[in-house]
Amino acid sequence: MYRLIDKETVERIKKMLEEEYEKAKDKLKDVEWKPLPEKARSRTYAIDGSQGKVRLSGVVIYTVSSFAFGNGPSYRLVYTNAMLYNQDISDQIIRLQMETLENKLGYFVGDKVDFVLMDGSLTGSLTRPPVYPESVRGIATVCRALGEKRLKAFVDEFLGKLEDHYAELENRLEREKRIYNGILADSCIDEYSHYTEALKGCVYGNDLSKFVEKAVEMGYDAEVVEDILRVVFKEEKLSKEDARNTIHVILSYLEYLYSLERLLDRDVVYVAKSFYSRKIARDVGLDIVDSSFLDAYLREVFGEESTGYISTTFKVRHEVPKVLKDFFPNVFETIKRGVSVAYVRAMKGGNIYMVQSNRRVDDMLGMLLWHESNGYFRPLQKSHEGVKIEKKRFDMELAVLINMLSKDFPEVRIFTKYGRSPLE
């Protein structure tokens, strides 16, 4: 048996942290740490999401879920699907669909309460596409291949389908409280096969024409420069399957943006349990996270980790493709305006949480604190407990699904045979 952490390692880490704390002490400045407002009676629904997935021989089988807990009956959206494994997009689509279900459920229950309580951050939701770069590249590719007019017609047509989809889900949710087909994009891909054909053979990615033009002005051969740039940017001509994947990515991205657009019609408060923002600390030249800086400040000024909050505004350093601007005004306006943010400690000695809202956080804080319990917010805790997909249960239901598939179609084992089970 050997140890992973020895005494020398402990001393090295301790010395590093002591040095960082001394730097923080030297650069402390006054911050407007305000007392918490009075609690204001309010009604809310808290939303959280979860996912379970397994990658087998050639297919990913996954379940995504969202759960709403609050002042009224609980609601749940669940979606289970399989896709042929694609390293570039599979995991990203699953993550995006989980957040889409969270946003949808938040919108549906938001008209029943004073505000919707979301786990995570609004800035994260607004900047999700950079984590999902294939969506933005796909939009640029379609715009070049089809032209802006046809792209807008494509978007408008799909958003019309989403509007009908929302109306159906909302009616069913009131009756059933739980729905198992909460995602539309996957079932619509074949309806847009004519766009797939139009994309086939196109070059995927960013528009390189401006780089080529500049190189020609400098005396270089256009064809040679273009070939080099395609290697650098890893751009290829789309096969039919690649074109279909591009349409799949775009539909998933549009469904996500539409869910966020609708959610922003409600009053929404986001709470992030863990975060690594450095806005306040960097203003004084420190490279530590804001929560650590605030703790150092409070210890020096008040001698304790006192309750209170500080509010500010975050700029959103991301732009949704401008061709979509008219379709998602709430999203674009929120990005342009910035997000209202507060760092909040609701219990002495407790954690500092980052609170964000599409409204002014100072105006929402009293209503949020109505639901505080031991420094956190009980509806969020309950929604997290309610949505968690247990691995044992997921594996059991997955085994039943695979057995049913194998019984009706034995050849399906070429897709479902191998997983990580020998290692677990």
Side-chain angles (χ1 to χ4, degrees):
M1 187 70 177
Y2 65 94
R3 299 186 64 177
L4 297 175
I5 303 175
D6 61 4
K7 185 177 180 180
E8 183 181 345
T9 302
V10 172
E11 291 301 318
R12 185 175 69 250
I13 293 174
K14 179 183 175 184
K15 181 181 178 183
M16 182 269 289
L17 295 177
E18 286 175 344
E19 289 174 353
E20 291 300 321
Y21 182 72
E22 290 303 317
K23 289 180 188 177
K25 279 178 59 179
D26 291 342
K27 294 191 176 184
L28 289 180
K29 67 169 187 175
D30 287 338
V31 297
E32 192 182 359
W33 188 251
K34 296 178 280 191
L36 295 175
E38 292 291 325
K39 294 184 178 182
R41 182 184 294 271
S42 65
R43 293 169 55 83
T44 190
Y45 265 106
I47 314 295
D48 202 358
S50 184
Q51 61 174 279
K53 63 184 175 183
V54 62
R55 190 171 72 213
L56 302 173
S57 307
V59 68
V60 179
I61 299 178
Y62 66 95
T63 293
V64 288
S65 177
S66 64
F67 181 70
F69 176 89
N71 296 105
S74 296
Y75 297 93
R76 191 185 302 272
L77 293 177
V78 183
Y79 181 68
T80 300
N81 196 21
M83 70 175 88
L84 297 181
Y85 182 66
N86 182 316
Q87 184 174 353
D88 292 330
I89 67 172
S90 294
D91 291 343
Q92 297 179 73
I93 283 180
I94 293 169
R95 171 67 183 271
L96 205 67
Q97 288 184 350
M98 182 188 76
E99 295 197 21
T100 298
L101 290 187
E102 292 178 60
N103 293 343
K104 284 184 178 182
L105 196 52
Y107 168 75
F108 291 143
V109 302
D111 63 344
K112 308 174 189 299
V113 291
D114 299 306
F115 69 99
V116 179
L117 191 51
M118 304 289 289
D119 180 65
S121 69
L122 177 54
T123 49
S125 294
L126 291 167
T127 59
R128 187 64 57 206
V131 181
Y132 192 62
E134 300 299 314
S135 55
V136 179
R137 294 180 71 202
I139 290 286
T141 303
V142 173
C143 194
R144 289 204 314 277
L146 306 179
E148 186 172 316
K149 187 175 180 180
R150 285 187 69 191
L151 173 60
K152 286 186 173 181
F154 167 44
V155 175
D156 192 51
E157 180 184 349
F158 183 58
L159 296 192
K161 293 179 181 294
L162 279 172
E163 191 170 342
D164 294 339
H165 172 68
Y166 268 62
E168 178 190 353
L169 285 185
E170 194 164 18
N171 289 333
R172 286 186 55 199
L173 199 61
E174 283 302 311
R175 299 192 308 268
E176 303 170 25
K177 305 297 186 291
R178 180 183 301 177
I179 297 178
Y180 288 92
N181 58 345
I183 295 293
L184 180 66
D186 291 349
S187 62
C188 289
I189 304 171
D190 291 336
E191 295 181 41
Y192 294 94
S193 58
H194 50 297
Y195 290 109
T196 299
E197 290 297 324
L199 282 181
K200 190 172 63 174
C202 292
V203 173
Y204 183 67
N206 300 310
D207 186 359
L208 303 178
S209 59
K210 58 183 178 181
F211 299 106
V212 176
E213 289 174 7
K214 188 69 175 176
V216 170
E217 290 175 9
M218 297 170 64
Y220 294 99
D221 181 86
E223 188 173 342
V224 173
V225 171
E226 192 168 350
D227 287 343
I228 293 172
L229 288 174
R230 300 216 184 286
V231 173
V232 172
F233 286 96
K234 298 180 180 178
E235 296 195 329
E236 301 174 347
K237 288 187 177 181
L238 292 174
S239 65
K240 184 174 182 179
E241 187 59 32
D242 290 334
R244 190 176 189 276
N245 285 337
T246 300
I247 295 298
H248 187 192
V249 164
I250 293 173
L251 291 174
S252 299
Y253 175 44
L254 292 175
E255 186 165 9
Y256 171 78
L257 284 179
Y258 186 80
S259 72
L260 185 58
E261 175 73 16
R262 297 292 288 264
L263 178 64
L264 292 175
D265 282 335
R266 312 302 191 197
D267 287 349
V268 189
V269 174
Y270 288 74
V271 176
K273 297 186 290 295
S274 59
F275 54 94
Y276 302 96
S277 57
R278 290 173 163 83
K279 185 179 189 299
I280 298 174
R282 280 180 176 163
D283 286 346
V284 297
L286 287 173
D287 191 28
I288 62 175
V289 296
D290 289 338
S291 57
S292 298
F293 173 78
L294 289 171
D295 273 336
Y297 170 82
L298 295 171
R299 280 180 171 276
E300 289 298 311
V301 174
F302 298 104
E304 63 181 7
E305 296 177 352
S306 60
T307 62
Y309 77 104
I310 180 174
S311 56
T312 184
T313 300
F314 280 7
K315 291 182 179 179
V316 181
R317 290 178 170 81
H318 169 66
E319 289 187 8
V320 174
K322 290 181 180 179
V323 69
L324 303 178
K325 184 173 182 179
D326 293 339
F327 297 102
F328 306 107
N330 285 340
V331 172
F332 273 87
E333 179 57 33
T334 305
I335 290 174
K336 180 181 177 182
R337 183 178 65 242
V339 174
S340 182
V341 179
Y343 298 102
V344 180
R345 175 180 278 131
M347 181 180 72
K348 186 183 294 186
N351 292 335
I352 293 177
Y353 298 107
M354 183 167 66
V355 177
Q356 299 186 348
S357 180
N358 59 337
R359 304 294 180 257
R360 187 171 174 267
V361 169
D362 296 70
D363 298 335
M364 304 297 295
L365 201 49
M367 291 194 294
L368 173 64
L369 289 171
W370 180 258
H371 305 278
E372 180 268 331
S373 175
N374 293 322
Y376 193 54
F377 309 100
R378 184 165 176 76
L380 274 178
Q381 183 180 0
K382 299 297 289 185
S383 66
H384 179 73
E385 293 170 359
V387 78
K388 188 175 181 181
I389 297 174
E390 295 182 12
K391 187 177 186 308
K392 183 180 294 186
R393 179 179 174 184
F394 177 72
D395 289 345
M396 180 180 68
E397 295 197 19
L398 175 66
V400 172
L401 171 62
I402 291 175
N403 286 336
M404 291 173 64
L405 291 172
S406 299
K407 181 179 179 182
D408 295 334
F409 182 40
E411 290 83 354
V412 80
R413 279 179 57 79
I414 67 169
F415 297 109
T416 62
K417 188 173 181 181
Y418 303 106
R420 288 181 53 84
S421 55
L423 305 177
E424 295 175 346

